[in-house]
Every structure is written in C-alpha cells, then in structure tokens.
Amino acid sequence: MSGHHPHPGPPDSEDGSWTREQLMAAAVEALLVRKRVFTPADVAGALDYWASRTPADGARLIARCWTDDAFAARVMDSVNAGAVELGLDIGHTRVVAVANTPKIHNVLVCTLCSCYPIRLLGDSPGWYKSRAYRSRVVREPRAVLSEFGLDIPDDVDVRVHDSTADLRYIVVPMQPTGTEHLTEQELAGLVTRDCMIGTALPRYIPA
Amino acid sequence: MAKEWPIVNRYRVGDPVTVRAHFPSGHARAPFYTRGHSGEVVRVTGPFRNAEERAYGRTGARVPLYRVQIRQRDLWPDYVGSSGDTLVVDLYEHWLEPGDRR
C-alpha cells in the first residue's frame, strides 16, 4: 500500500486469539441453533434480560424492609415471597436474607465459584468472582473489609456466608441513623450493591 | 419415575456437626477448608437435588441441606479477629457427621 502509513488503533475484540472456553461456547451455541433447540433471538433476549437486572431491585426490597417491619419479617422468612410482593420476578432459586445488627456484620462470598442472586442484584462485580476475594474473605474477613474502607469494631462479630449450594444470599444492612424522614425511594437510593454483599454500609450525608 | 422416598432430616437446628474429612475426586460442594472442622446447624433447608450428581447430568437424589456455622478460630488457628467471628457454609447431609456437644 503506497501513500499510507499504519496508525495503531485500539484493538478490535477479535484481534486476540480465542480461549478454549470461548471456542467451546461458540461451537455449542452454533450446534444448538442448528438443531433448533433455540434461536439466535432467544440467546440475544436472554443476554438482554440478564443485563437488565440491577441492584436497584434489591435496594427497593431493603428500603421496604426499613419502612415496614412486617414486610421485613416476611423477607427474613423468604426473600422470594417478599420480592413477589414488590412485583419483582426473581425466579425460584431460594434467596435468604441475612440481617446486620449492632452486634453482627454479614458478608457474602462463594468460594467454589461465584454464586450470586443475579435476578435480584444484577451481575456480580468482577472482584466478587476473583480468586483473591474468594480465598481471602473467608480467611481474613476483617482485613478484606478494611481494604473496602469498612473497619468493623471488635465488639461486632463478622459473619461470613459461603454460598456453596442451592441458596443465594442478600445482606440486609441497618438503616442509617437520621434517615427516618426520608421516603422509601430516597432510602433505596442509599442502598448500593456492595451494601447488599456486605462490603459496604449505607451512608447518609444530610444535604 | 419411581416413587420418591420421604426425606428425614438427620440433624436439627442446634445440633453439633463435623464436616467429613473426606477427599473424593470429582465435583464436591464442601469447600476443602471446612473439611474435618466442627460447627453447629443454624438452619435446615431443602431437600434439594444433589448438585454433586447434577454436575454429571444425573437427576440427583433429594438431600437435606444444612447451614452450618463454624467459629473462625476453629477454622484457622491463627485467625485475626473477634472470638465471636464465624463462617456459615451450606452443606449437604452426606458431608456431615454428628459432632461433640460442647
């Protein structure tokens, strides 16, 4: 080519070589489409659905727990039933609520893989799936929480929940003091994803 | 499909249990770091289809699932934290043996 000199651009996603797992997934998907088990539209629709899930749903559930003790009691019994009351479709996988108290701080992990209540909280953060988080939070939870900026006092017990089987978890944080006048929607805005994993606490800064 | 047996839970909330110190090959759902350690049943759930069998495409037998709470200081002799710090792990019944009452 004359008259042109190459400009190094950002790499396209196809520039690297495929991993074995990517090749397997693409091959299996192509086979199942060809065998009419599902259509490409089904795959796109499913991916779109999972991408549409966000921690906002979980935050709504927590805010309702803060404003309605009877609802909170039902959620402690069954998160799935509580979600239905709010019109949320979180499927049939059992989700269990673990509530923070002045004496107990809860934090979630899945040491075996990356189990997470995706329908309620959206996709899990990358660090939640990392080997470092998964191996360290069961071994030295206080040090890990401290790296998240969360120093748990000695008179509060740290309780780590390792989600190894059929149950998924959500942490119910305590309502921050001084927020009693806020609406349920405003309260939900204080509840971040990490608050429901247990690596953060809701914070309220008065305007 | 054949009629299914009723499930009888072997353990109740409050029962002391020990995670089997057993190291089978293949897909196992009891984390290595819990094996051989003792704790207490804090919640009885299930039955669920055994995920260790489902991993191989089988239906899986229905098995009770227990939430077992273990003291961190029992898990890690050099644990840094409060004596009340604990870990709760979900274990299928076949991973548990009766533990010693304290």
Side-chain angles (χ1 to χ4, degrees):
Chain A
M1 300 281 185
S2 61
H4 292 281
H5 64 274
H7 276 281
D12 290 326
S13 58
E14 294 89 344
D15 285 352
S17 56
W18 285 39
T19 65
R20 181 172 171 274
E21 288 73 18
Q22 285 173 319
L23 277 172
M24 292 245 294
V28 169
E29 180 185 334
L31 272 173
L32 293 173
V33 166
R34 201 187 307 168
K35 286 176 180 290
R36 300 178 191 283
V37 175
F38 50 63
T39 67
D42 293 333
V43 177
L47 291 172
D48 209 24
Y49 168 77
W50 290 112
S52 75
R53 302 293 88 203
T54 75
D57 287 348
R60 264 184 71 204
L61 187 98
I62 302 298
R64 178 65 62 86
C65 286
W66 287 348
T67 55
D68 183 341
D69 289 344
F71 179 79
R74 292 196 293 278
V75 162
M76 292 311 294
D77 191 51
S78 166
V79 173
N80 301 68
V84 167
E85 287 186 48
L86 296 184
L88 301 172
D89 173 20
I90 66 165
H92 296 293
T93 301
R94 287 264 300 278
V95 181
V96 171
V98 290
N100 288 347
T101 74
K103 289 290 166 203
I104 296 168
H105 178 82
N106 295 286
V107 59
L108 311 180
V109 65
C110 169
T111 58
L112 297 182
C113 48
S114 56
C115 294
Y116 191 78
I118 300 178
R119 282 176 185 265
L120 187 58
L121 301 185
D123 195 11
S124 60
W127 53 259
Y128 184 85
K129 303 166 207 168
S130 73
R131 212 158 44 220
Y133 177 76
R134 287 156 52 218
S135 56
R136 289 186 58 220
V137 81
V138 294
R139 179 76 177 85
E140 45 176 4
R142 286 173 185 269
V144 171
L145 292 176
S146 184
E147 290 168 26
F148 278 92
L150 190 56
D151 291 304
I152 305 298
D154 288 343
D155 62 344
V156 175
D157 293 340
V158 173
R159 190 172 290 171
V160 180
H161 299 266
D162 190 355
S163 177
T164 48
D166 304 85
L167 306 175
R168 301 293 174 267
Y169 294 92
I170 179 173
V171 173
V172 182
M174 287 185 293
Q175 182 173 352
T177 51
T179 59
E180 292 73 15
H181 62 290
L182 297 184
T183 65
E184 196 174 310
Q185 199 176 348
E186 288 169 333
L187 288 171
L190 306 179
V191 184
T192 64
R193 176 194 69 195
D194 288 10
C195 295
M196 296 178 280
I197 299 175
T199 52
L201 294 178
R203 288 201 303 175
Y204 175 59
I205 298 142
Chain B
M1 188 181 239
K3 189 168 177 288
E4 295 190 294
W5 297 104
I7 301 296
V8 179
N9 292 318
R10 191 175 178 194
Y11 304 103
R12 290 180 300 183
V13 169
D15 281 353
V17 288
T18 299
V19 188
R20 291 181 69 198
H22 182 54
F23 300 89
S25 57
H27 186 74
R29 289 297 187 99
F32 271 74
Y33 72 90
T34 65
R35 297 186 198 174
H37 291 277
S38 297
E40 180 186 325
V41 173
V42 291
R43 189 161 176 162
V44 180
T45 71
F48 291 105
R49 297 277 171 191
N50 185 357
E52 295 170 346
E53 294 180 64
R54 285 199 291 124
Y56 298 99
R58 296 194 287 262
T59 308
R62 286 146 67 237
V63 284
L65 180 71
Y66 299 91
R67 306 209 66 219
V68 176
Q69 188 165 8
I70 305 174
R71 290 186 173 280
Q72 288 283 22
R73 287 190 181 172
D74 289 344
L75 277 177
W76 322 104
D78 60 346
Y79 180 76
V80 176
S82 298
S83 59
D85 287 1
T86 54
L87 177 128
V88 185
V89 59
D90 301 338
L91 296 164
Y92 294 115
E93 188 171 270
H94 52 262
W95 276 101
L96 300 176
E97 295 168 346
D100 296 327
R101 204 65 60 201
R102 301 183 184 215

